[in-house]
């Protein structure tokens, strides 16, 4: 076989394989209708490897080299080298399904441990082995609520500052299920509980709250929100992320029926695209969980073994009984996340989460001393990020910061959002200095 990663088969090897299967050319292996087949020239000129590398370098050099203080769903945490080294082993990188228990015990064990981490962090007994991202996990939770709710209700209540990406996915998912999404207001960055109480009624199938919120606020009223949902026979869905759960109160203790959120905050670099959604719930809803569950069992020789124990997808059960049509999950990303969590350990997770609190508090305090800046806007506890008020127009402030090499989010006419983790905290003082000129 060719040793080149870009040309795996030589002409002789290809001809030998075609001879074995009894066809004359590769074209005979495919049945492509004439009306969609393309036999023209793509117009791509041939280039050497060196020329291709030079062209890619030139393209990438057009990217701005900014120090990011961005957040709002994408968080940059240092991923240990062992995660990339182990996850790239050939046993884990395959285009084939990783779920045949007779050949993939290692992969199934990692997914089982990923589920176990989520169960331990949420306090809920059931966790699946991943969703596409936090948005699809939220949308699947809403559809689950629509199925298990015994009334004719159809309203899903969400915060009015729900991330636009989550809101769009949620709207798309619930439309076909006959549900509708309504919002409840926020007060000083957290849920307006009195307003929410006036909105929850017999028509409500699910109340969704987040901690930390989109603005990085640690929600102080989760127990009250959970009681409001329970008193009205609605499900309480809590959105969070894997690292925040290491420090914040356990979702099960505040009455959460479902926990969704981002698990890719650990194990993956900031990708602004690829995600990993966590999904956990109570025993009562075991057969309503979307996606797959990996369980521990025993083989014929009484050895501990791992296998898929439940997958209520339409590819595996009758369509009318399927809970979700999710086709593939994020198994390899979940594998990386599980490796990162295991490498940190319980104390490491808590230490890192505490840095997310202290770093945000410290940076906000420094920015608050800058003339023309008030930080944080909300007088709350924050995790990783916070909103800052600028006397100058926020767009102008962000533009000046960008010119000095820093990226922040503009979230209002006079508001920017700043996110700090262990990967950019060394630039915090420089950011403050840039603010002194921008504000």
């Amino acid at each position: 076989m060719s040793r080149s990663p870009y040309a795996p088969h030589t002409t002789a090897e290809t001809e030998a394989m075609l001879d074995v299967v009894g066809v004359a050319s590769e074209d005979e292996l495919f049945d492509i209708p004439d009306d969609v087949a393309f036999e023209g020239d793509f117009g791509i000129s041939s280039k050497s490897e060196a020329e291709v590398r030079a062209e890619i370098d030139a393209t990438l050099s057009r990217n701005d080299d900014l120090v990011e203080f961005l957040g709002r769903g994408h968080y940059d945490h240092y991923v240990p080298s062992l995660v990339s080294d182990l996850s790239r082993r050939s046993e884990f990188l395959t285009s084939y399904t990783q779920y045949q228990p007779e050949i993939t015990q290692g992969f199934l064990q990692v997914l089982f441990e990923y589920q176990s981490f989520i169960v331990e962090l949420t306090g809920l007994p059931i966790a699946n082995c991943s969703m596409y991202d936090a948005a699809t996990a939220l949308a699947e939770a809403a559809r689950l609520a629509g199925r298990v709710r015994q009334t004719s209700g159809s309203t899903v209540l969400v915060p009015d500052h729900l991330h636009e990406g989550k809101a769009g996915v949620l709207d798309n998912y619930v439309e076909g299920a006959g549900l509708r999404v309504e919002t409840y207001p926020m007060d000083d960055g957290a849920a307006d509980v009195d307003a929410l109480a006036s909105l929850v009624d017999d028509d409500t199938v699910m109340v969704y709250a987040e901690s930390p919120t989109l603005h990085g606020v640690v929600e102080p009223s989760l127990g009250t929100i959970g009681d409001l949902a329970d008193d009205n026979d609605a499900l309480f869905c809590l959105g969070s992320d894997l690292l925040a759960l290491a420090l914040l109160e356990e979702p099960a203790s505040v009455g959460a029926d479902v926990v969704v959120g981002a698990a890719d905050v650990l194990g993956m670099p900031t990708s602004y695209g690829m995600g990993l959604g966590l999904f956990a719930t109570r025993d009562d809803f075991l057969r309503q969980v979307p996606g797959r569950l990996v369980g521990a069992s025993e083989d014929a020789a009484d050895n501990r073994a791992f296998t898929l124990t439940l997958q209520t997808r339409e590819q595996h059960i009758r369509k009318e009984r399927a809970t979700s049509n999710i086709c593939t999950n994020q198994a390899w990303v979940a594998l990386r996340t599980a490796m990162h969590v295991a490498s940190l350990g319980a104390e490491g997770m808590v230490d890192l989460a505490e840095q997310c609190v202290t770093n945000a508090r410290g940076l906000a305090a420094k920015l608050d001393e800058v003339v023309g800046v008030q930080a944080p806007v909300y007088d709350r506890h924050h995790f990783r990020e916070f909103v800052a008020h600028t006397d100058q127009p926020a767009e102008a402030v962000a533009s000046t910061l960008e010119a000095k090499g820093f990226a922040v989010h503009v979230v209002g006419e006079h508001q920017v959002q700043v996110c700090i983790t262990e990967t950019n905290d060394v630039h915090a003082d420089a950011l403050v200095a840039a603010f002194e000129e921008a504000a």
Side-chain angles (χ1 to χ4, degrees):
M1 299 286 285
S2 167
R3 300 185 67 83
S4 168
Y6 306 110
H9 306 307
T10 65
T11 300
E13 290 166 346
T14 301
E15 290 177 349
M17 287 187 285
L18 292 173
D19 183 60
V20 169
V21 298
V23 297
S25 70
E26 292 177 72
D27 292 340
E28 294 184 37
L29 298 174
F30 306 101
D31 182 18
I32 302 175
D34 291 339
D35 58 342
V36 297
F38 178 75
E39 297 182 355
D41 188 345
F42 285 109
I44 301 174
S45 59
S46 177
K47 295 182 179 178
S48 69
E49 179 179 329
E51 290 173 326
V52 171
R53 286 183 177 276
E55 185 170 322
I56 292 174
D57 288 343
T59 300
L60 294 178
S61 69
R62 303 207 307 261
N63 289 332
D64 289 332
D65 186 16
L66 301 176
V67 178
E68 294 186 1
F69 282 84
L70 305 170
R72 295 172 63 83
H74 295 281
Y75 305 108
D76 186 28
H77 289 287
Y78 180 74
V79 181
S81 298
L82 70 87
V83 173
S84 291
D85 187 58
L86 293 177
S87 65
R88 289 173 182 164
R89 288 177 62 96
S90 59
E91 301 95 310
F92 299 134
L93 281 178
T94 170
S95 59
Y96 296 98
T97 181
Q98 305 98 340
Y99 304 120
Q100 277 103 11
E102 65 273 24
I103 59 173
T104 56
Q105 280 298 294
F107 211 122
L108 288 168
Q109 179 178 350
V110 172
L111 294 178
F112 180 82
E113 292 177 0
Y114 164 83
Q115 294 172 177
S116 301
F117 290 142
I118 294 176
V119 166
E120 188 168 351
L121 289 167
T122 62
L124 294 172
I126 305 296
N128 73 8
C129 63
S130 82
M131 308 293 296
Y132 289 129
D133 53 24
T136 51
L138 168 60
E140 292 282 4
R143 289 176 61 93
L144 181 148
R147 292 193 298 271
V148 303
R149 217 26 229 311
Q150 298 302 310
T151 70
S152 58
S154 60
T155 302
V156 176
L157 288 172
V158 301
D160 64 5
H161 70 191
L162 185 67
H163 190 284
E164 56 274 15
K166 289 182 181 177
V169 172
L170 180 60
D171 286 340
N172 283 334
Y173 260 66
V174 302
E175 183 179 0
L179 303 176
R180 68 174 183 275
V181 179
E182 295 186 0
T183 63
Y184 61 85
M186 306 294 283
D187 179 24
D188 195 32
D192 185 335
V193 177
D194 291 337
L196 177 59
S198 68
L199 294 171
V200 183
D201 56 26
D202 290 343
D203 191 64
T204 307
V205 296
M206 189 178 89
V207 177
Y208 175 66
E210 295 182 331
S211 185
T213 69
L214 180 63
H215 293 156
V217 171
V218 177
E219 173 60 58
S221 304
L222 292 178
T224 304
I225 298 171
D227 290 341
L228 278 173
D230 188 55
D231 291 345
N232 289 273
D233 196 28
L235 261 62
F236 174 33
C237 178
L238 173 60
S240 190
D241 71 60
L242 206 62
L243 185 57
L245 288 173
L247 190 63
L248 303 181
E249 55 192 333
E250 189 178 75
S253 69
V254 294
D257 298 297
V258 184
V259 177
V260 298
D264 55 297
V265 293
L266 297 178
M268 291 293 291
T270 307
S271 62
Y272 301 108
M274 180 180 289
L276 175 65
L278 68 87
F279 191 103
T281 189
R282 296 194 280 119
D283 278 328
D284 298 350
F285 309 137
L286 171 62
R287 294 193 173 278
Q288 298 293 330
V289 174
R292 304 175 174 89
L293 275 73
V294 175
S297 182
E298 292 181 347
D299 65 10
D302 297 331
N303 298 312
R304 193 185 193 205
F306 299 92
T307 185
L308 285 186
T309 56
L310 188 70
Q311 43 188 346
T312 56
R313 309 184 310 143
E314 64 181 35
Q315 289 175 303
H316 291 87
I317 64 176
R318 286 182 298 179
K319 183 176 181 179
E320 60 270 22
R321 296 188 61 190
T323 61
S324 168
N325 68 349
I326 179 173
C327 290
T328 187
N329 64 4
Q330 301 288 72
W332 187 74
V333 185
L335 174 140
R336 289 181 60 98
T337 295
M339 288 176 173
H340 195 169
V341 171
S343 70
L344 286 170
E347 292 184 4
M349 287 272 285
V350 172
D351 288 345
L352 184 56
E354 287 180 340
Q355 289 181 49
C356 292
V357 174
T358 57
N359 280 342
R361 183 186 300 148
L363 179 56
K366 290 180 179 178
L367 288 177
D368 198 48
E369 294 176 356
V370 176
V371 176
V373 178
Q374 177 202 339
V377 168
Y378 304 121
D379 185 20
R380 306 279 190 179
H381 294 292
H382 289 76
F383 192 87
R384 285 198 198 94
E385 54 196 328
F386 55 88
V387 174
H389 172 87
T390 59
D391 290 346
Q392 298 294 325
E395 290 282 2
V397 171
S399 179
T400 302
L401 292 176
E402 183 175 330
K404 295 183 176 298
F406 301 100
V408 299
H409 276 296
V410 174
V411 295
E413 187 175 352
H414 287 276
Q415 291 184 336
V416 296
Q417 189 159 330
V418 182
C419 177
I420 182 170
T421 71
E422 78 281 5
T423 65
N424 64 3
D425 62 348
V426 295
H427 303 286
D429 289 340
L431 177 71
V432 173
F435 259 97
E436 289 173 344
E437 296 187 37

